[in-house]
Amino acid sequence: MTSRTEPGARGALRTVAEHALVIGLLVLFLSPLIWLMLTAFKPYEELFVSPPTILPASATLENFSGGWNVGGGRGIGDSLIVSTISTLICLVLGYPAAYALARRFPPHGQLSFTILSLRMLPPIVPVIGFYLLYQELSLFDTYTGLIVIYTFMNLPLVIWLLAEFLRQIPRSYEEAARIDGAPWYRLFLDILLPLSAPGILTAGILAMIFAWNEFLFALVLTGQNVITLPKALASFFLFQQPNWGQLGAIGIVAIGPLLVLSFYMQRALVRSFSAELGGR
Amino acid sequence: MSRAAMPSDAGSARTASPAEIARLKAERRATLVLLAPALAFLAILSVWPFCYLIYASFTSYQLAIPVPVEWVGLGNFQRVLSNPRFWQSLGITAVFALVAVPLQIALGLGLAMLINRLSRGREIYASLFLIPMMLAPIVVGFSWNLFLNPIYGPLNALLRGLGFSPPAWASSPEWALPTVVLVDIWQWTPFVMVVLLAGLRSIPGRVFEAARVDGSNGWQTFRYILLPMMAPYMTVAFVLRFIDSFKVFDVLYILTKGGPGTSTQNLAYYTYDMGFGRFDFGLAGALSIIQLILLIVGTTAILHFARRGDRRQSMQESRL
């Protein structure tokens, strides 16, 4: 199965071949994205030549400022507002619940599964009900409305992830603190919060990404007042002759922060799936 | 998902003193206080809109028509089930769940095994492969739209250069569905890869050593050792992806708008079109509820078969 035991030059050659294969696959695999990035630096006239140029003949940055001005900037602003606030609410509501599930609710399995299953719902199922409710409550096309539904969408996942992390903190720490007579907020601030910081970060990042990328709720539950980035991109794309360069530029700005996080994310995912299924 | 319950605080054999009982009561109260805000939030927001949804599905709720809303009983469900468009969109949803997802599992396993062989740089490669899954589906949609553009896109230019006459991909009736399936596979194979990578890392290397010493060849090792050990991970990946396959919407919205005609219109898109294209909330509500039922039945069935498979296998093992 592995080449690691093979000695000498043949083994080394095989390793090189394996890396070459993986890198080749990777470039092929990411080519649509690489193409998008190259396009973002092409001037307008160069976007509509056939056959297309691979590298921009005269690279330019004007797509970034252009894309920002045609709605990209507005979209980024609205997305930041909505995703940050909903993530914070998720953490504030989710942390105590996760703690209760991890520590004080012995038959927690069923309850956390029920909570998590809410996350599994395809957005199209609840969206009709939300639309009618939002019309009634005048939450349609408001920041509050979108923040509420993103919190609803991400809270189950946040609770589940935080409970997983909190369960890994030994109970004896808290018991020791309790015997010392420390008040609950000291216990929380001095012990639980620092020890669960990586969990909070993971859950927060995930919730943020989901809210940042979400499209259907934004499409259906908002109008002209709130225009998140995916919605801005979609309308920009569909209702005018697409300026691919500007789309590419906004796209890069939209996904840039996520690319930085992907290394961190795959680690967190591998760890949580190993823990969940590996029986530890 | 559930693990064996932890021994509870109250589970000790000795009888509890009144002070201890008081402490347990206080803890129970604290638990409820901690859980209450989140549970209340989730409960209100799952029950309230859900009531609206059920209500709409039993009425002729049409926003565009200013007539009084009438109770129509199961009429909307009848309208859905007798409409060929529903069956077509059900078929397209099934293609995503039963064609795209198994392909993702197979490709994800191959990719995970390939990366797992490397002694260096595993994490870096895995993160780079993970990129498509992190992107906003809208960005995925238009990068592929650009990539596959029949005139200005690189792929068709390349194919033409090689002497082929390439199709118009997303805008051609025959190729539209394969194209959106391909994009779904592109976006989600990395997720399966990461789940299966976690599985591969949990198999100790000596298992394979032992198999080799016993003289089993590559295929036998794969079939009788690797696959069974990976089964729980593959089941989880399958269930999660099966559930997600009902959500496919954003890429369709950008890439095909459900078309050409209705050739890429899955249940989610059909529901969206009925609800927010035609404002026929009665029909859209019925469609939503049908999807919910399908999802619950499908997931339960997969888990049931997976568990039965487990049992059969452990029986075989015990017979040996």
Side-chain angles (χ1 to χ4, degrees), chain B residues 290-312:
Chain B
I290 288 172
Q291 280 171 83
L292 190 60
I293 294 169
L294 285 174
L295 205 54
I296 293 169
V297 170
T299 312
T300 314
I302 295 172
L303 287 174
H304 176 78
F305 282 119
R307 237 173 262 139
R308 214 170 63 172
D310 265 7
R311 221 173 297 137
R312 193 177 307 138

Side-chain angles (χ1 to χ4, degrees), chain A residues 1-2 5, chain B residues 204-215 221 225:
Chain A
M1 277 312 282
T2 63
T5 48
Chain B
R206 58 191 153 75
V207 173
F208 296 112
E209 298 290 324
R212 194 158 44 187
V213 170
D214 287 349
T221 311
I225 296 176

Side-chain angles (χ1 to χ4, degrees), chain A residues 1-5 14-15 18-19 21-23 25-26 29-33 35-36 39 47-52 93-94 96-97 99-102 104-111 113 115-116 118-133 136-137 148 151-152 155-156 159-160 164 167 171 178 209 213-216 219-220 230 233-234 237-238 244 247-248 251 254-255 258-259 261-263 265-267 269-270 273-278 280, chain B residues 1-9 23 27-28 30-32 34-35 37-39 41-42 45-46 48-50 52-53 56 61 63 111 113-139 142-147 149 151-154 157 160 186 190-191 194-195 197-198 201-202 208-209 212 221 226 232-233 236 240 243 246-247 249-250 253-254 257 268 271-272 275-276 279 281 284-285 288 291-292 295:
Chain A
M1 277 312 282
T2 63
S3 61
R4 262 158 260 156
T5 48
R14 236 178 111 162
T15 312
E18 276 172 356
H19 279 272
L21 176 66
V22 175
I23 292 172
L25 269 178
L26 194 60
F29 185 69
L30 294 181
S31 53
L33 206 62
W35 189 260
L36 180 76
T39 306
L47 301 172
F48 301 101
V49 291
S50 180
L93 282 177
Y99 178 74
L101 285 182
R104 310 183 171 202
F105 219 81
H108 62 273
Q110 203 55 45
L111 185 59
F113 185 72
I115 292 174
L116 192 63
L118 278 178
R119 177 72 183 81
M120 307 290 190
L121 218 57
I124 194 73
V125 172
V127 81
I128 307 252
F130 271 103
Y131 180 81
L132 299 175
L133 179 70
E136 204 94 339
L137 299 179
V148 165
T151 306
F152 175 69
L155 184 55
I159 294 178
W160 180 69
E164 288 292 306
R167 207 169 288 131
R171 267 166 181 246
R178 207 175 297 154
I209 290 176
N213 286 350
E214 205 286 329
F215 177 61
L216 182 64
L219 176 71
V220 168
L233 277 168
F237 175 77
L238 291 167
W244 296 108
L247 268 173
I255 64 189
L258 307 186
L259 299 191
L261 296 173
S262 73
F263 183 77
M265 245 16 272
Q266 72 77 31
R267 220 178 229 185
L269 280 174
V270 167
F273 276 105
S274 315
E276 188 62 31
L277 295 162
R280 272 179 280 195
Chain B
M1 302 270 152
S2 76
R3 216 166 293 113
M6 277 189 259
S8 75
D9 287 342
R23 193 179 64 84
E27 286 222 337
R28 179 132 305 174
T31 305
L32 287 178
L34 289 171
L35 270 173
L39 285 190
F41 180 87
L42 288 175
L45 283 178
S46 42
W48 202 352
F50 194 64
Y52 266 93
L53 175 66
Y61 201 132
L63 216 62
L111 214 51
M113 285 171 67
L114 186 66
I115 288 182
N116 199 43
R117 284 171 71 103
L118 303 172
S119 43
R120 263 161 207 276
R122 249 184 277 182
E123 286 205 318
I124 306 246
Y125 288 124
S127 336
L128 290 171
F129 271 110
L130 205 62
I131 288 172
M133 169 193 140
M134 313 263 300
L135 305 181
I138 288 296
V139 175
F142 79 67
S143 347
W144 276 92
N145 202 310
L146 172 63
F147 192 69
N149 188 295
I151 305 163
Y152 314 116
R160 274 195 303 269
W186 181 78
F191 171 75
V194 174
V195 176
L197 211 48
R201 288 209 330 190
S202 71
F208 296 112
E209 298 290 324
R212 194 158 44 187
T221 311
L226 191 106
Y233 291 87
V236 164
L240 291 177
I243 292 168
F246 280 71
K247 291 183 189 171
F249 176 80
D250 312 22
Y253 187 87
I254 287 292
K257 278 255 164 199
T271 313
Y272 165 79
F276 302 98
F279 293 105
F281 288 113
S288 306
Q291 280 171 83
L292 190 60
L295 205 54

Side-chain angles (χ1 to χ4, degrees), chain A residues 48-99:
Chain A
F48 301 101
V49 291
S50 180
T53 54
I54 296 175
L55 291 172
S58 52
T60 170
L61 287 174
E62 67 191 24
N63 288 325
F64 286 86
S65 55
W68 183 272
N69 291 331
V70 296
R74 166 91 198 273
I76 288 169
D78 277 5
S79 274
L80 266 180
I81 294 172
V82 171
S83 54
T84 314
I85 297 179
S86 71
T87 300
L88 288 177
I89 300 177
C90 276
L91 291 173
V92 169
L93 282 177
Y95 195 94
Y99 178 74

